[in-house]
Amino acid sequence: MTTSAEDRSGSQGSYVEPGEFKRDTNYITTRITADGRDGYPAEAGRYRLVAARACPWANRTLIVRRLLGLEDALSLGLCGPTHDKLSWTFDLDPGGVDPVLGIPRLRDAYLARFPDYPRGITVPAVVEIATGQVVTNDYPQITLDFSTEWTEFHRDGAPDLYPAHLRDEIDEVAHRNFTEVNNGVYRCGFAGDQDAYERAYARLFTRLDELTERLAGQRYLVGDTITEADVRLFTTLARFDPVYHGHFKCNRTKLSEMPVLWAYARDLFQTPGFGDTTDFGQIKTHYYAVHRDINPTGVVPVGPDLANWLAPHGREQLGGRPFGDGTPPPPPRAGEEVPALG
């Protein structure tokens, strides 16, 4: 079995291998749908979303769950920012056990369904509470299904993050951002030789320059409202200066030195659902403490100063309606808050 790039950046520690860093995208593709065609119908209270605030892929599910108002239908279990070689763990909970699933490790839910599960234990994952079995860890599909298959449980005023008439463009933009940016920072950070690193570095900043041009004249990536494409880009941008610039050697320029992207990221951060699901402390702890082959000492840097995320961004001048015909989500539920900046 080859260890996946997702695993190297998350559940199984990190490994620098010769050549270009390649991501294993073989996930558990079972879907939770309105009609239950895979055997798992969308039902309130049946499932638990297991995430970690440190992980950019899991962070997406936290944002979308908040924006759509799925808190009553889908409970949340949070793993801590660090883990061992076996699994993400529930070390934030009393006794290190998830209070709903009754397990200390996310691995237990994977093995409950697949006793010989051969791949990394990744977040996010959706677990069926009654059986204790993982249903899916297919993170790109999870958020799309939140938007399209869980509509019965959306809050009043939930935005349409995946509007039908824009889906082709959203998919195209999101795919390009995945290959060049979301995954691109990992190709830089885990490159096994100089040539692979320099190729990844060039591709990353080429795409960031393209995004600068795209966003210079429009507030959001696709259309005039927040969509799935913005959610997916934001979680990488939020980690850029605290982690990727130094830790992953993505150091041509900081995000805060790219005026258009920096204003765009602050605009989203200051939008309910984005900044209030982003925990910079856990983000830094995860990357610097877990990736010991890149950061052998495990020392977590004190900087950068993150209060500037709250500075005015001026993007309102471009127009746009963040939630379209919908409304902002209410404040985070008690126990789901993140530390405030400043």
Side-chain angles (χ1 to χ4, degrees):
M1 181 190 79
T2 59
T3 304
S4 74
E6 177 86 5
D7 304 338
R8 283 175 275 183
S9 66
S11 62
Q12 297 293 309
S14 55
Y15 306 85
V16 173
E17 298 173 351
E20 181 178 341
F21 186 62
K22 299 185 184 300
R23 183 176 297 278
D24 180 350
T25 56
N26 291 305
Y27 297 103
I28 302 168
T29 57
T30 307
R31 292 176 61 188
I32 299 171
T33 58
D35 63 7
R37 56 186 175 272
D38 284 359
Y40 295 94
E43 293 180 4
R46 179 167 176 171
Y47 309 99
R48 187 160 176 82
L49 172 64
V50 178
R53 295 198 186 279
C55 170
W57 322 103
N59 198 170
R60 298 177 180 184
T61 63
L62 299 177
I63 293 170
V64 173
R65 175 177 173 270
R66 278 268 292 129
L67 293 178
L68 299 180
L70 291 173
E71 292 95 334
D72 285 338
L74 183 66
S75 68
L76 176 64
L78 287 172
C79 299
T82 61
H83 50 70
D84 57 26
K85 293 181 179 181
L86 290 178
S87 176
W88 291 88
T89 55
F90 294 99
D91 48 293
L92 300 177
D93 293 307
V97 174
D98 180 88
V100 172
L101 299 175
I103 56 176
R105 299 174 178 275
L106 180 56
R107 180 174 183 263
D108 297 333
Y110 279 70
L111 297 183
R113 184 176 176 196
F114 304 107
D116 298 318
Y117 188 72
R119 299 185 179 278
I121 309 302
T122 61
V123 289
V126 181
V127 178
E128 186 178 39
I129 295 171
T131 62
Q133 296 180 358
V134 66
V135 178
T136 180
N137 66 344
D138 188 2
Y139 69 91
Q141 191 63 49
I142 288 172
T143 49
L144 296 182
D145 285 344
F146 283 176
S147 284
T148 60
E149 302 291 339
W150 288 74
T151 54
E152 179 183 352
F153 307 104
H154 289 184
R155 66 178 175 87
D156 291 340
D160 188 352
L161 300 176
Y162 198 49
H165 69 290
L166 294 175
R167 287 179 187 175
D168 287 347
E169 186 177 1
I170 291 170
D171 291 346
E172 179 183 359
V173 171
H175 176 71
R176 176 103 172 123
N177 286 346
F178 170 77
T179 60
E180 308 307 293
V181 180
N182 304 132
N183 193 44
V185 294
Y186 287 90
R187 282 204 315 272
C188 289
F190 290 107
D193 59 49
Q194 189 69 32
D195 288 344
Y197 163 68
E198 292 185 10
R199 288 194 302 270
Y201 178 100
R203 288 176 60 180
L204 168 65
F205 283 101
T206 295
R207 181 55 178 168
L208 291 177
D209 289 343
E210 292 171 355
L211 289 168
T212 291
E213 293 182 12
R214 184 183 187 96
L215 290 165
Q218 62 188 64
R219 191 170 178 185
Y220 304 111
L221 282 171
V222 181
D224 66 349
T225 65
I226 292 169
T227 68
E228 176 80 17
D230 298 295
V231 174
R232 294 186 179 195
L233 180 58
F234 171 79
T235 58
T236 295
L237 296 183
R239 288 156 176 75
F240 202 89
D241 285 6
V243 176
Y244 302 145
H245 178 270
H247 186 57
F248 279 180
K249 307 179 187 71
C250 302
N251 60 357
R252 187 195 75 178
T253 42
K254 296 178 180 177
L255 176 66
S256 57
E257 296 167 344
M258 295 181 271
V260 171
L261 291 180
W262 176 222
Y264 165 78
R266 296 201 316 280
D267 186 5
L268 291 176
F269 182 84
Q270 294 170 32
T271 299
F274 288 83
D276 55 28
T277 60
T278 302
D279 189 321
F280 288 115
Q282 289 198 25
I283 288 168
K284 291 199 301 181
T285 296
H286 169 71
Y287 284 91
Y288 288 102
V290 171
H291 297 163
R292 290 303 183 96
D293 52 343
I294 298 176
N295 186 44
T297 65
V299 171
V300 179
V302 175
D305 182 0
L306 299 167
N308 54 4
W309 278 92
L310 301 176
H313 51 76
R315 298 279 293 179
E316 304 94 336
Q317 299 176 8
L318 295 173
R321 302 173 300 145
F323 301 101
D325 295 329
T327 58
R333 299 290 178 90
E336 293 189 11
E337 308 93 339
V338 300
L341 295 183

